Amino acid sequence: MALRTVTDAERRQRVGRRHALAPEHRVGTPDQVTTAMTVLHATEASSVYLSVAARAPEATVADLDRALYDDRSLVKQLAMRRTLFVFPRDLLPAAWGSASARVADTERRKIARNVVDDGWATDGEAWLVEVGRQVVELLSARGTLSAKEIREALPMLDGKVAVSASSPWGGPVPIAPRVLTLLGASGLIVRGANAGHWRVNRPAWTLMTEWLGESPTPMDPADGYAELVRRWLRTFGPGTEADLVWWLGSTKSAVRRALADVAAVEVRLEGGGTGWLLPDDLEPEPEVAPWASLLPTLDPTTMGWRERDFYLDPTHTPYLFDSNGNGGTTIWWDGRIVGCWVQDPDGVVVPVLREDLGSDGDAAVASEVDRLTAWLDGVVISSVYASAQMKQARLP
């Protein structure tokens, strides 16, 4: 039986609808946005808010704060590729059993080796068990604490440990953030209330069980990967095996098993190669009217695939992504990245286009520029992951 071909145009239609970016397909709440996107990138605190604002025009900062810190229907969790994400609460057990567990195992082995090599302990694994116990006991007794407060209360965490000289981050580094990162990836503790402005990550740590009010059980690794792949295919499919290996930060064998477990169906991609869709998602995507969107640094749409030619001209990559493949701010027109955006000192959004969009495209982008400027209301966003185009276009 011949494989169905999914064209690049159809893939872009899916982005407009599935990612809640086309105006007629936008949604109302932060929870709806996060579910639509599977997860939201949270490495930069502002990205979460701007990703929501792009897809839920009526949602406010207070609405997202409520979901994150009051209702706790959305939760920050270190997972795929050692990246911090905002997860829908119901997806946490899948991550804990698979992608987060993989990250935790890697971090555990690195820290255990470093503390032994640096003379902190003769048994790195035992040292980690003990310090983890002390952190959990401290948070059980005192509730939510900042990293500084945890470090001050636990002498075992007050200091630096040398990492491999061959690492780009070689040299002495504080041990406390690494241990807290490990415990967070393990699902024992969680980044709770944010002590800073919404555009800054200054989390206080608390026990995951206290934050959620329950103790969900991590999924079996295979089931966890299958659930993550199922959600990813619903949002980003069709995608390739290479896309999934990259997005999950996992192995080909884990991805292949997950694709089999969800009964994914093979399709042909216009540019060549094989993509995958869920078995109940094989019908052609209806057309979507041309749409414009302004997305933040590390937005999940920008970062959803490894193989990006269907929505990104390869000649634009050096300008719009940094050297590590992290996407900066982007302007989209009808399913393709066509530029980036910056702000002037007063917070006004300024588009920087790399293509001629025509009058309709220019008008649609201008409307989104005005909308984002109004939403930001004078708040200026800075980014660690600024692209070359963003740096070049920064205004005095």
Side-chain angles (χ1 to χ4, degrees):
M1 182 176 178
L3 298 181
R4 171 164 117 71
T5 296
V6 181
T7 66
D8 289 350
E10 182 179 350
R11 296 181 78 181
R12 293 192 289 268
Q13 302 282 1
R14 292 170 72 94
V15 170
R17 178 177 283 104
R18 307 296 177 92
H19 294 209
L21 293 173
E24 64 268 32
H25 298 291
R26 289 173 182 164
V27 294
T29 69
D31 291 78
Q32 290 173 324
V33 170
T34 310
T35 298
M37 296 310 303
T38 302
V39 290
L40 301 179
H41 277 257
T43 303
E44 292 200 347
S46 61
S47 293
V48 180
Y49 292 83
L50 297 178
S51 292
V52 168
R55 298 167 171 88
E58 302 305 317
T60 65
V61 168
D63 291 332
L64 183 50
D65 283 346
R66 187 177 308 110
L68 286 168
Y69 307 124
D70 297 331
D71 300 340
R72 301 169 190 177
S73 54
L74 304 177
V75 181
K76 293 181 180 179
Q77 173 66 41
L78 199 74
M80 297 76 74
R81 307 186 314 280
R82 200 183 178 277
T83 297
L84 184 65
F85 293 94
V86 167
F87 275 76
R89 181 170 173 151
D90 71 305
L91 190 55
L92 287 171
W96 292 337
S98 58
S100 293
R102 180 180 173 84
V103 170
D105 181 62
T106 299
E107 293 300 305
R108 183 178 296 107
R109 288 186 281 108
K110 286 181 180 178
I111 298 171
R113 182 173 63 251
N114 291 157
V115 297
V116 170
D117 290 346
D118 209 38
W120 282 52
T122 56
D123 185 334
E125 293 284 349
W127 185 91
L128 274 173
V129 168
E130 175 58 22
V131 75
R133 182 190 66 78
Q134 290 191 25
V135 171
V136 169
E137 286 188 354
L138 176 67
L139 293 176
S140 295
R142 294 177 55 182
T144 299
L145 297 173
S146 69
K148 181 175 182 290
E149 290 169 329
I150 294 172
R151 186 179 68 249
E152 291 173 345
L154 300 178
M156 288 181 73
L157 288 177
D158 188 16
K160 297 182 178 182
V161 62
V163 300
S164 171
S166 63
S167 167
W169 301 277
V173 297
I175 191 66
R178 297 181 65 196
V179 170
L180 295 177
T181 292
L182 166 61
L183 296 175
S186 303
L188 293 173
I189 64 176
V190 63
R191 292 164 174 81
N194 187 33
H197 190 276
W198 60 262
R199 68 183 186 278
V200 178
N201 274 324
R202 289 183 182 168
W205 293 90
T206 192
L207 296 179
M208 183 68 79
T209 52
E210 292 296 322
W211 189 250
L212 298 182
E214 58 178 336
S215 303
T217 302
M219 285 187 178
D220 169 88
D223 291 340
Y225 277 125
E227 185 58 25
L228 290 174
V229 167
R230 181 181 292 107
R231 304 277 185 113
W232 184 91
L233 286 173
R234 188 73 66 189
T235 298
F236 297 99
T240 66
E241 181 182 284
D243 289 332
L244 275 164
V245 169
W246 176 83
W247 187 82
L248 284 172
S250 190
T251 63
K252 287 183 179 180
S253 60
V255 166
R256 288 169 181 170
R257 174 168 179 175
L259 287 169
D261 287 344
V262 301
V265 176
E266 193 175 345
V267 296
R268 190 180 306 281
L269 301 178
E270 178 182 322
T274 297
W276 299 89
L277 286 172
L278 291 173
D280 62 350
D281 191 26
L282 299 176
E283 293 299 314
E285 191 77 7
E287 289 191 6
V288 175
W291 53 273
S293 187
L294 272 61
L295 299 183
T297 296
L298 302 177
D299 184 84
T301 297
T302 307
M303 300 295 293
W305 302 263
R306 180 180 181 181
E307 299 177 318
R308 298 167 173 151
D309 287 2
F310 76 95
Y311 69 92
L312 176 67
D313 184 331
T315 64
H316 294 341
T317 301
Y319 300 94
L320 302 175
F321 287 73
D322 70 15
S323 58
N324 293 315
N326 297 302
T329 63
T330 52
I331 297 175
W332 293 67
W333 170 238
D334 204 17
R336 296 173 56 251
I337 296 177
V338 295
C340 71
W341 56 271
V342 294
Q343 290 175 277
D344 72 13
D346 295 323
V348 175
V349 174
V350 179
V352 183
L353 295 173
R354 296 192 58 79
E355 300 181 14
D356 181 359
L357 308 186
S359 58
D360 288 347
D362 287 343
V365 168
S367 176
E368 291 300 303
V369 164
D370 290 343
R371 185 169 77 84
L372 181 56
T373 296
W375 192 93
L376 286 166
D377 194 24
V379 173
V380 176
I381 304 298
S382 60
S383 175
V384 174
Y385 299 95
S387 64
Q389 189 79 74
M390 290 168 65
K391 293 175 182 177
Q392 181 181 352
R394 278 176 176 161
L395 303 175

